[in-house]
Amino acid sequence: MLIAGSLSGALGFDFAMAPLGKTLKAISMAAMVLAALAVLLLAMPVSVWRTGRLPAPPLPIIKNGPDIAAADRVWIDTDAACGVGRRTDPDDCLALMLLARDPNIRIVGMSSVFGNADLEDTDRTARTLAGKLRRDGARVPAVLPGADAPAAAATPAQAGLREALAGGPLTIVALGPLTNVSAALKGRPGLQQNVRRVVAVMGRRPGHIFHPSEGQGDGILFGHGPVFRDLNFDMDREAALDLLAMQLPMSLIPYDVARGISLTEADLDRLARAGETGPWIASGAREWLDFWREDIGLDGFHPFDLLAAAYVLRPERFDCAVALAWIGRDHRLDNLPLVDPLALQVGLRAERSDDAMAETDLIYCVGIDPALRAWLMSKLAGTRTRADGADAERTPRSP
């Protein structure tokens, strides 16, 4: 997840480099855009303005389900960028730490991909993290560099993922854009059959705009706070189209799920006492926490990608629905300025837009067990709580 670009970026104009006359003209244009946006947003019902949600029919949620096959062999594809900047999240690093410390899975491969930052940064971050995890006693493989842009040339990540799939059923944890995954699987039906499940961090309900204050913060724009993009989808939409067309077993762990957990300064302090890895992640997460406090107006941040890792390990702690996913224009957002209505949407078949470019049935999660937060912190910080009780008797779930 990442914050949408600045107004100057959205307008395609560099205020700092322009002559005075052009700058004044651009400022006037920006003011008109903001005024129009303000009029439109303030005309919305208060609940929509504060939450970014238009009314939608309920999904058929299955509490603690539906059942999926337990993960065994796992491949992690990551755009980790913890500590790279104030607006890069630590979520991938937390997810990798959680998965690496679990004795019930085998991480057979790890790859880097562009997304939260350039590939140079994400690859370096993933390699640094892998080294720290090894020194803390985890068994993690070497990180293979992947795509630096959509439709990139062949990479070690693609070759490694194909080799891992040839070795048997594999759960793919996609924490960034789906570029590496799509490239490895496209045109290879034999390998597609060995995908046990793709767990991806993307997707939303029709008419939903992400802004994490959700009417509860005191951040910028009169408490509305900044707007987030569905970054992993937006960064490579073609790859997402390819994956949906393959009709693979897939679970989406979207923004909605992560809203159920916030990590605070006290949590980072606790993480900072966990071996060599914990202090490094906690240090890089402090600026991200400051951003959430100052701009969003909340005391903690939602750890989006961490929830995908938790789902891989404990899917029974999530409330999810079997629903239709499609890629097409979200016509409920057609009239909003500066909002691109093309989206990966999930809902009932009756909600599907007629111009959908790809679709598939998949699992879409919307809620969590209230005890999940305590379990996560116990796993990350290396201490036991009552929430750990089920770990000693992890029962494989049905395929």
Side-chain angles (χ1 to χ4, degrees):
M1 296 288 177
L2 189 70
I3 305 304
S6 66
L7 181 60
S8 61
L11 296 174
F13 188 85
D14 188 341
F15 290 96
M17 299 299 294
L20 179 59
K22 289 186 177 180
T23 299
L24 291 174
K25 184 178 179 180
I27 291 173
S28 298
M29 182 174 64
M32 288 188 289
V33 169
L34 287 173
L37 180 60
V39 169
L40 181 62
L41 292 176
L42 291 173
M44 292 179 175
V46 172
S47 61
V48 174
W49 158 256
R50 296 290 282 173
T51 67
R53 297 173 185 274
L54 293 172
L59 295 174
I61 304 301
I62 302 172
K63 190 168 182 60
N64 307 122
D67 285 346
I68 62 171
D72 176 18
R73 302 174 68 245
V74 171
W75 184 284
I76 307 171
D77 189 58
T78 177
D79 60 342
C82 45
V84 170
R86 182 172 181 263
R87 296 194 178 189
T88 54
D89 64 63
D91 307 348
D92 284 63
C93 294
L94 292 169
L96 290 168
M97 183 180 183
L98 181 71
L99 292 169
R101 299 183 73 171
D102 191 279
N104 296 304
I105 63 169
R106 290 181 292 152
I107 302 175
V108 299
M110 292 174 57
S111 52
S112 57
V113 67
F114 76 102
N116 276 328
D118 293 339
L119 179 67
E120 180 181 357
D121 288 324
T122 62
D123 188 67
R124 182 182 64 251
T125 301
R127 291 174 185 275
T128 300
L129 176 59
K132 292 181 180 299
L133 287 167
R134 291 187 199 103
R135 289 190 289 276
D136 279 342
R139 299 179 62 182
V140 293
V143 177
L144 301 179
D148 60 2
T155 64
Q158 296 172 24
L161 180 50
R162 287 172 182 159
E163 183 179 350
L165 284 163
L170 188 67
T171 298
I172 301 173
V173 187
L175 302 178
L178 295 170
T179 312
N180 290 337
V181 181
S182 170
L185 290 172
K186 194 170 184 178
R188 297 175 181 264
L191 295 183
Q192 293 174 24
Q193 292 177 4
N194 274 347
V195 175
R196 175 165 285 178
R197 182 159 298 274
V198 176
V199 178
V201 184
M202 59 179 62
R204 63 171 175 80
R205 298 284 277 125
H208 186 193
I209 299 174
F210 302 154
H211 58 86
S213 64
E214 293 277 341
Q216 302 175 39
D218 56 359
I220 62 174
L221 296 177
F222 309 105
H224 180 285
V227 175
F228 281 31
R229 291 192 285 166
D230 193 359
L231 183 72
N232 293 342
F233 168 74
D234 280 343
M235 293 297 284
D236 194 345
R237 297 172 176 184
E238 289 297 325
L241 276 167
D242 290 340
L243 261 290
L244 259 63
M246 292 176 198
Q247 305 285 304
L248 301 171
M250 196 168 185
S251 294
L252 298 184
I253 311 301
Y255 168 94
D256 270 341
V257 174
R259 290 173 56 244
I261 291 181
S262 290
L263 298 186
T264 65
E265 185 172 13
D267 296 316
L268 296 184
D269 291 342
R270 185 176 169 192
L271 181 66
R273 297 190 290 271
E276 180 179 340
T277 308
W280 183 76
I281 296 176
S283 176
R286 303 282 181 185
E287 281 191 302
W288 181 245
L289 177 59
D290 288 342
F291 167 73
W292 277 68
R293 285 169 165 173
E294 295 169 10
D295 291 47
I296 297 173
L298 298 178
D299 291 333
F301 62 86
H302 303 325
F304 301 104
D305 300 281
L306 176 60
L307 273 294
Y311 176 82
V312 171
L313 301 178
R314 296 292 179 270
E316 72 278 2
R317 294 181 182 240
F318 288 74
D319 302 331
C320 313
V322 176
L324 181 70
W326 68 92
I327 295 174
R329 291 181 67 87
D330 186 349
H331 294 289
R332 305 185 75 185
L333 301 180
D334 276 343
N335 295 323
L336 282 182
L338 304 181
V339 174
D340 186 346
L342 187 65
L344 170 55
Q345 303 165 73
V346 181
L348 305 178
R349 192 163 294 275
E351 296 179 88
R352 174 191 176 277
S353 56
D354 293 336
D355 57 0
M357 295 178 282
E359 65 179 61
T360 191
D361 290 318
L362 47 66
I363 294 175
Y364 182 78
C365 297
V366 299
I368 57 171
D369 181 340
L372 182 62
R373 188 187 189 285
W375 179 83
L376 282 171
M377 286 309 303
S378 74
K379 289 299 177 185
L380 292 171
T383 57
R384 285 188 63 86
T385 72
R386 292 184 180 180
D388 294 326
D391 290 359
E393 300 179 1
R394 185 184 178 199
T395 303
R397 310 191 79 191
S398 60

Short mmCIF file of all heavy atoms in Angstrom, two decimals, residues 55-107:
data_model
loop_
_atom_site.label_atom_id
_atom_site.label_comp_id
_atom_site.label_asym_id
_atom_site.label_seq_id
_atom_site.Cartn_x
_atom_site.Cartn_y
_atom_site.Cartn_z
N PRO A 55 -22.77 2.54 -0.28
CA PRO A 55 -23.49 1.33 0.14
C PRO A 55 -23.33 0.19 -0.86
O PRO A 55 -23.30 0.41 -2.08
CB PRO A 55 -24.95 1.82 0.21
CG PRO A 55 -24.86 3.29 0.37
CD PRO A 55 -23.64 3.72 -0.38
N ALA A 56 -23.20 -1.01 -0.35
CA ALA A 56 -23.04 -2.20 -1.20
C ALA A 56 -23.76 -3.37 -0.55
O ALA A 56 -23.83 -3.46 0.68
CB ALA A 56 -21.56 -2.54 -1.38
N PRO A 57 -24.29 -4.30 -1.36
CA PRO A 57 -24.97 -5.46 -0.79
C PRO A 57 -24.00 -6.34 -0.02
O PRO A 57 -22.82 -6.44 -0.38
CB PRO A 57 -25.53 -6.18 -2.01
CG PRO A 57 -24.71 -5.72 -3.15
CD PRO A 57 -24.31 -4.31 -2.84
N PRO A 58 -24.43 -6.98 1.05
CA PRO A 58 -23.51 -7.80 1.86
C PRO A 58 -23.04 -9.04 1.11
O PRO A 58 -23.77 -9.62 0.31
CB PRO A 58 -24.36 -8.16 3.08
CG PRO A 58 -25.77 -8.08 2.60
CD PRO A 58 -25.80 -6.98 1.60
N LEU A 59 -21.83 -9.44 1.40
CA LEU A 59 -21.28 -10.68 0.86
C LEU A 59 -21.66 -11.85 1.76
O LEU A 59 -21.89 -11.67 2.95
CB LEU A 59 -19.76 -10.59 0.76
CG LEU A 59 -19.19 -9.56 -0.22
CD1 LEU A 59 -17.67 -9.50 -0.10
CD2 LEU A 59 -19.58 -9.89 -1.65
N PRO A 60 -21.71 -13.07 1.20
CA PRO A 60 -22.03 -14.26 2.01
C PRO A 60 -20.82 -14.71 2.83
O PRO A 60 -20.11 -15.65 2.48
CB PRO A 60 -22.41 -15.30 0.95
CG PRO A 60 -21.64 -14.91 -0.27
CD PRO A 60 -21.57 -13.40 -0.24
N ILE A 61 -20.57 -14.05 3.94
CA ILE A 61 -19.37 -14.28 4.74
C ILE A 61 -19.47 -15.62 5.47
O ILE A 61 -20.50 -15.97 6.05
CB ILE A 61 -19.18 -13.15 5.76
CG1 ILE A 61 -19.12 -11.79 5.05
CG2 ILE A 61 -17.93 -13.38 6.59
CD1 ILE A 61 -18.02 -11.67 4.05
N ILE A 62 -18.37 -16.35 5.45
CA ILE A 62 -18.24 -17.60 6.20
C ILE A 62 -17.29 -17.34 7.36
O ILE A 62 -16.11 -17.04 7.15
CB ILE A 62 -17.71 -18.73 5.31
CG1 ILE A 62 -18.63 -18.96 4.12
CG2 ILE A 62 -17.53 -20.02 6.12
CD1 ILE A 62 -18.06 -19.92 3.09
N LYS A 63 -17.78 -17.41 8.57
CA LYS A 63 -16.93 -17.16 9.73
C LYS A 63 -15.89 -18.27 9.86
O LYS A 63 -16.21 -19.45 9.78
CB LYS A 63 -17.78 -17.06 11.00
CG LYS A 63 -16.99 -16.56 12.20
CD LYS A 63 -17.91 -16.20 13.34
CE LYS A 63 -17.13 -15.64 14.53
NZ LYS A 63 -16.37 -14.42 14.18
N ASN A 64 -14.63 -17.87 10.03
CA ASN A 64 -13.51 -18.82 10.14
C ASN A 64 -13.37 -19.69 8.90
O ASN A 64 -12.96 -20.85 8.98
CB ASN A 64 -13.65 -19.72 11.38
CG ASN A 64 -13.86 -18.93 12.65
OD1 ASN A 64 -14.84 -19.10 13.34
ND2 ASN A 64 -12.95 -18.01 12.94
N GLY A 65 -13.69 -19.16 7.77
CA GLY A 65 -13.61 -19.97 6.56
C GLY A 65 -13.72 -19.13 5.31
O GLY A 65 -13.67 -17.91 5.38
N PRO A 66 -13.87 -19.82 4.16
CA PRO A 66 -14.03 -21.26 3.96
C PRO A 66 -12.71 -22.03 4.13
O PRO A 66 -11.63 -21.42 4.13
CB PRO A 66 -14.52 -21.34 2.51
CG PRO A 66 -13.96 -20.13 1.86
CD PRO A 66 -13.96 -19.06 2.90
N ASP A 67 -12.82 -23.35 4.25
CA ASP A 67 -11.65 -24.19 4.42
C ASP A 67 -10.78 -24.15 3.16
O ASP A 67 -11.28 -24.15 2.04
CB ASP A 67 -12.05 -25.63 4.70
CG ASP A 67 -12.57 -25.82 6.12
OD1 ASP A 67 -12.36 -24.92 6.94
OD2 ASP A 67 -13.18 -26.87 6.39
N ILE A 68 -9.47 -24.13 3.38
CA ILE A 68 -8.51 -24.24 2.29
C ILE A 68 -7.44 -25.24 2.70
O ILE A 68 -7.29 -25.57 3.88
CB ILE A 68 -7.86 -22.89 1.94
CG1 ILE A 68 -7.07 -22.34 3.13
CG2 ILE A 68 -8.91 -21.89 1.48
CD1 ILE A 68 -6.22 -21.12 2.79
N ALA A 69 -6.69 -25.73 1.73
CA ALA A 69 -5.59 -26.65 2.02
C ALA A 69 -4.50 -25.92 2.79
O ALA A 69 -4.16 -24.76 2.50
CB ALA A 69 -5.03 -27.21 0.72
N ALA A 70 -3.94 -26.58 3.80
CA ALA A 70 -2.88 -25.97 4.59
C ALA A 70 -1.64 -25.73 3.74
O ALA A 70 -1.28 -26.55 2.89
CB ALA A 70 -2.53 -26.88 5.77
N ALA A 71 -1.00 -24.60 3.94
CA ALA A 71 0.23 -24.30 3.21
C ALA A 71 1.37 -25.18 3.71
O ALA A 71 1.47 -25.46 4.90
CB ALA A 71 0.60 -22.83 3.39
N ASP A 72 2.21 -25.62 2.79
CA ASP A 72 3.38 -26.42 3.14
C ASP A 72 4.61 -25.76 2.50
O ASP A 72 5.35 -25.05 3.14
CB ASP A 72 3.20 -27.86 2.66
CG ASP A 72 4.44 -28.71 2.91
OD1 ASP A 72 5.28 -28.30 3.73
OD2 ASP A 72 4.57 -29.77 2.28
N ARG A 73 4.76 -25.96 1.19
CA ARG A 73 5.83 -25.29 0.45
C ARG A 73 5.34 -23.89 0.06
O ARG A 73 4.28 -23.74 -0.52
CB ARG A 73 6.21 -26.09 -0.79
CG ARG A 73 6.66 -27.50 -0.50
CD ARG A 73 6.89 -28.30 -1.78
NE ARG A 73 8.03 -27.82 -2.55
CZ ARG A 73 7.94 -27.29 -3.76
NH1 ARG A 73 6.75 -27.13 -4.33
NH2 ARG A 73 9.02 -26.90 -4.42
N VAL A 74 6.15 -22.88 0.37
CA VAL A 74 5.72 -21.49 0.19
C VAL A 74 6.78 -20.71 -0.59
O VAL A 74 7.98 -20.85 -0.34
CB VAL A 74 5.48 -20.81 1.56
CG1 VAL A 74 5.24 -19.31 1.40
CG2 VAL A 74 4.30 -21.48 2.27
N TRP A 75 6.30 -19.90 -1.52
CA TRP A 75 7.16 -18.93 -2.22
C TRP A 75 6.67 -17.54 -1.85
O TRP A 75 5.48 -17.25 -1.90
CB TRP A 75 7.06 -19.12 -3.74
CG TRP A 75 7.99 -18.21 -4.49
CD1 TRP A 75 7.85 -16.88 -4.74
CD2 TRP A 75 9.24 -18.59 -5.09
NE1 TRP A 75 8.90 -16.39 -5.45
CE2 TRP A 75 9.78 -17.41 -5.69
CE3 TRP A 75 9.95 -19.78 -5.18
CZ2 TRP A 75 11.00 -17.43 -6.37
CZ3 TRP A 75 11.17 -19.79 -5.87
CH2 TRP A 75 11.67 -18.63 -6.45
N ILE A 76 7.60 -16.65 -1.48
CA ILE A 76 7.25 -15.28 -1.10
C ILE A 76 7.80 -14.32 -2.14
O ILE A 76 9.01 -14.30 -2.40
CB ILE A 76 7.82 -14.91 0.28
CG1 ILE A 76 7.41 -15.94 1.34
CG2 ILE A 76 7.35 -13.52 0.70
CD1 ILE A 76 8.11 -15.75 2.67
N ASP A 77 6.91 -13.53 -2.73
CA ASP A 77 7.29 -12.50 -3.69
C ASP A 77 7.02 -11.15 -3.04
O ASP A 77 5.87 -10.85 -2.68
CB ASP A 77 6.48 -12.66 -4.97
CG ASP A 77 6.98 -11.77 -6.09
OD1 ASP A 77 8.16 -11.89 -6.46
OD2 ASP A 77 6.18 -10.97 -6.62
N THR A 78 8.04 -10.32 -2.87
CA THR A 78 7.91 -9.16 -2.00
C THR A 78 8.46 -7.88 -2.63
O THR A 78 9.45 -7.91 -3.36
CB THR A 78 8.62 -9.40 -0.66
OG1 THR A 78 8.55 -8.23 0.15
CG2 THR A 78 10.09 -9.77 -0.87
N ASP A 79 7.79 -6.77 -2.30
CA ASP A 79 8.31 -5.44 -2.63
C ASP A 79 8.69 -4.71 -1.34
O ASP A 79 8.39 -3.53 -1.16
CB ASP A 79 7.32 -4.63 -3.47
CG ASP A 79 5.99 -4.39 -2.77
OD1 ASP A 79 5.69 -5.12 -1.79
OD2 ASP A 79 5.24 -3.50 -3.19
N ALA A 80 9.37 -5.43 -0.47
CA ALA A 80 9.74 -4.89 0.85
C ALA A 80 10.54 -3.61 0.70
O ALA A 80 11.48 -3.53 -0.09
CB ALA A 80 10.56 -5.93 1.62
N ALA A 81 10.16 -2.61 1.49
CA ALA A 81 10.86 -1.32 1.45
C ALA A 81 10.86 -0.66 2.82
O ALA A 81 10.87 0.57 2.92
CB ALA A 81 10.23 -0.39 0.41
N CYS A 82 10.85 -1.45 3.88
CA CYS A 82 10.79 -0.88 5.21
C CYS A 82 12.03 -0.02 5.47
O CYS A 82 13.16 -0.45 5.22
CB CYS A 82 10.68 -1.99 6.27
SG CYS A 82 11.76 -3.40 6.04
N GLY A 83 11.81 1.20 5.92
CA GLY A 83 12.89 2.09 6.23
C GLY A 83 13.42 2.90 5.06
O GLY A 83 14.30 3.74 5.23
N VAL A 84 12.89 2.66 3.85
CA VAL A 84 13.38 3.39 2.68
C VAL A 84 12.97 4.86 2.74
O VAL A 84 13.71 5.74 2.31
CB VAL A 84 12.89 2.73 1.37
CG1 VAL A 84 13.18 3.61 0.17
CG2 VAL A 84 13.54 1.36 1.21
N GLY A 85 11.79 5.15 3.27
CA GLY A 85 11.32 6.52 3.35
C GLY A 85 10.11 6.63 4.27
O GLY A 85 9.56 5.62 4.72
N ARG A 86 9.69 7.86 4.52
CA ARG A 86 8.59 8.10 5.45
C ARG A 86 7.28 7.50 4.95
O ARG A 86 6.42 7.15 5.76
CB ARG A 86 8.43 9.61 5.66
CG ARG A 86 7.35 10.01 6.65
CD ARG A 86 7.42 11.50 6.93
NE ARG A 86 6.41 11.92 7.90
CZ ARG A 86 5.23 12.45 7.57
NH1 ARG A 86 4.91 12.61 6.28
NH2 ARG A 86 4.37 12.82 8.50
N ARG A 87 7.12 7.37 3.64
CA ARG A 87 5.88 6.86 3.09
C ARG A 87 6.03 5.47 2.49
O ARG A 87 5.30 5.09 1.59
CB ARG A 87 5.32 7.84 2.06
CG ARG A 87 4.94 9.18 2.67
CD ARG A 87 4.09 10.01 1.74
NE ARG A 87 3.69 11.28 2.37
CZ ARG A 87 2.81 12.11 1.85
NH1 ARG A 87 2.20 11.80 0.70
NH2 ARG A 87 2.50 13.23 2.46
N THR A 88 6.99 4.72 2.97
CA THR A 88 7.09 3.31 2.61
C THR A 88 6.84 2.49 3.87
O THR A 88 7.44 2.73 4.91
CB THR A 88 8.47 2.96 2.02
OG1 THR A 88 9.50 3.38 2.93
CG2 THR A 88 8.68 3.64 0.68
N ASP A 89 5.94 1.52 3.74
CA ASP A 89 5.48 0.81 4.92
C ASP A 89 6.40 -0.35 5.29
O ASP A 89 7.15 -0.84 4.46
CB ASP A 89 4.04 0.32 4.71
CG ASP A 89 3.94 -0.71 3.59
OD1 ASP A 89 4.54 -1.79 3.72
OD2 ASP A 89 3.25 -0.44 2.58
N PRO A 90 6.33 -0.80 6.55
CA PRO A 90 7.13 -1.94 7.00
C PRO A 90 6.41 -3.27 6.89
O PRO A 90 6.89 -4.29 7.38
CB PRO A 90 7.38 -1.60 8.48
CG PRO A 90 6.10 -0.92 8.89
CD PRO A 90 5.64 -0.14 7.68
N ASP A 91 5.24 -3.28 6.24
CA ASP A 91 4.36 -4.45 6.31
C ASP A 91 4.98 -5.71 5.70
O ASP A 91 4.83 -6.81 6.24
CB ASP A 91 3.03 -4.15 5.60
CG ASP A 91 2.37 -2.88 6.09
OD1 ASP A 91 2.81 -2.36 7.12
OD2 ASP A 91 1.42 -2.42 5.45
N ASP A 92 5.67 -5.57 4.54
CA ASP A 92 6.31 -6.75 3.94
C ASP A 92 7.33 -7.35 4.89
O ASP A 92 7.44 -8.58 5.00
CB ASP A 92 7.00 -6.36 2.63
CG ASP A 92 6.04 -6.15 1.48
OD1 ASP A 92 5.20 -5.24 1.54
OD2 ASP A 92 6.13 -6.91 0.50
N CYS A 93 8.11 -6.49 5.53
CA CYS A 93 9.14 -7.00 6.43
C CYS A 93 8.54 -7.75 7.60
O CYS A 93 9.04 -8.80 8.03
CB CYS A 93 10.02 -5.85 6.90
SG CYS A 93 10.98 -5.09 5.56
N LEU A 94 7.45 -7.23 8.13
CA LEU A 94 6.74 -7.93 9.21
C LEU A 94 6.19 -9.26 8.71
O LEU A 94 6.25 -10.28 9.41
CB LEU A 94 5.61 -7.05 9.73
CG LEU A 94 6.02 -5.78 10.47
CD1 LEU A 94 4.82 -4.87 10.70
CD2 LEU A 94 6.69 -6.12 11.82
N ALA A 95 5.67 -9.27 7.49
CA ALA A 95 5.13 -10.51 6.92
C ALA A 95 6.22 -11.55 6.73
O ALA A 95 6.05 -12.74 7.07
CB ALA A 95 4.45 -10.21 5.58
N LEU A 96 7.37 -11.13 6.22
CA LEU A 96 8.48 -12.07 6.02
C LEU A 96 8.98 -12.62 7.35
O LEU A 96 9.30 -13.81 7.47
CB LEU A 96 9.62 -11.36 5.29
CG LEU A 96 9.35 -11.02 3.82
CD1 LEU A 96 10.40 -10.08 3.30
CD2 LEU A 96 9.29 -12.28 2.98
N MET A 97 9.04 -11.77 8.35
CA MET A 97 9.49 -12.22 9.68
C MET A 97 8.53 -13.25 10.24
O MET A 97 8.95 -14.28 10.79
CB MET A 97 9.59 -11.01 10.61
CG MET A 97 10.12 -11.34 12.00
SD MET A 97 10.21 -9.83 13.03
CE MET A 97 10.94 -10.50 14.53
N LEU A 98 7.23 -13.00 10.11
CA LEU A 98 6.24 -13.94 10.63
C LEU A 98 6.35 -15.30 9.94
O LEU A 98 6.36 -16.35 10.60
CB LEU A 98 4.84 -13.36 10.44
CG LEU A 98 3.70 -14.23 10.97
CD1 LEU A 98 3.69 -14.24 12.50
CD2 LEU A 98 2.34 -13.72 10.46
N LEU A 99 6.44 -15.30 8.62
CA LEU A 99 6.51 -16.56 7.88
C LEU A 99 7.81 -17.30 8.17
O LEU A 99 7.81 -18.52 8.32
CB LEU A 99 6.37 -16.28 6.38
CG LEU A 99 4.99 -15.79 5.92
CD1 LEU A 99 5.06 -15.30 4.48
CD2 LEU A 99 3.94 -16.89 6.06
N ALA A 100 8.91 -16.56 8.25
CA ALA A 100 10.21 -17.20 8.46
C ALA A 100 10.31 -17.86 9.83
O ALA A 100 11.06 -18.83 10.00
CB ALA A 100 11.32 -16.18 8.29
N ARG A 101 9.54 -17.38 10.80
CA ARG A 101 9.64 -17.92 12.16
C ARG A 101 8.65 -19.06 12.42
O ARG A 101 8.61 -19.59 13.52
CB ARG A 101 9.40 -16.80 13.18
CG ARG A 101 10.42 -15.68 13.08
CD ARG A 101 10.21 -14.61 14.13
NE ARG A 101 10.61 -15.08 15.46
CZ ARG A 101 10.70 -14.29 16.52
NH1 ARG A 101 10.43 -13.01 16.41
NH2 ARG A 101 11.05 -14.77 17.69
N ASP A 102 7.87 -19.43 11.40
CA ASP A 102 6.88 -20.49 11.60
C ASP A 102 7.47 -21.84 11.22
O ASP A 102 7.96 -22.02 10.10
CB ASP A 102 5.63 -20.21 10.77
CG ASP A 102 4.49 -21.14 11.16
OD1 ASP A 102 4.47 -22.28 10.68
OD2 ASP A 102 3.63 -20.71 11.96
N PRO A 103 7.42 -22.84 12.11
CA PRO A 103 8.03 -24.13 11.82
C PRO A 103 7.18 -25.04 10.94
O PRO A 103 7.66 -26.11 10.53
CB PRO A 103 8.19 -24.75 13.22
CG PRO A 103 7.05 -24.18 14.00
CD PRO A 103 6.87 -22.78 13.49
N ASN A 104 5.96 -24.65 10.66
CA ASN A 104 5.05 -25.55 9.94
C ASN A 104 5.05 -25.36 8.43
O ASN A 104 4.36 -26.08 7.72
CB ASN A 104 3.62 -25.33 10.46
CG ASN A 104 3.49 -25.72 11.91
OD1 ASN A 104 3.79 -26.83 12.31
ND2 ASN A 104 3.04 -24.77 12.74
N ILE A 105 5.82 -24.40 7.93
CA ILE A 105 5.92 -24.22 6.49
C ILE A 105 7.37 -24.26 6.06
O ILE A 105 8.28 -24.09 6.88
CB ILE A 105 5.29 -22.88 6.03
CG1 ILE A 105 6.04 -21.69 6.64
CG2 ILE A 105 3.81 -22.83 6.36
CD1 ILE A 105 5.67 -20.35 6.03
N ARG A 106 7.59 -24.49 4.78
CA ARG A 106 8.93 -24.45 4.20
C ARG A 106 8.96 -23.33 3.16
O ARG A 106 8.24 -23.40 2.16
CB ARG A 106 9.29 -25.78 3.53
CG ARG A 106 9.52 -26.94 4.50
CD ARG A 106 9.88 -28.18 3.73
NE ARG A 106 8.76 -28.67 2.93
CZ ARG A 106 8.87 -29.37 1.81
NH1 ARG A 106 10.08 -29.62 1.31
NH2 ARG A 106 7.80 -29.79 1.16
N ILE A 107 9.77 -22.33 3.39
CA ILE A 107 9.93 -21.27 2.40
C ILE A 107 10.95 -21.77 1.38
O ILE A 107 12.15 -21.83 1.65
CB ILE A 107 10.40 -19.96 3.06
CG1 ILE A 107 9.41 -19.51 4.13
CG2 ILE A 107 10.58 -18.87 1.99
CD1 ILE A 107 9.86 -18.27 4.91
#
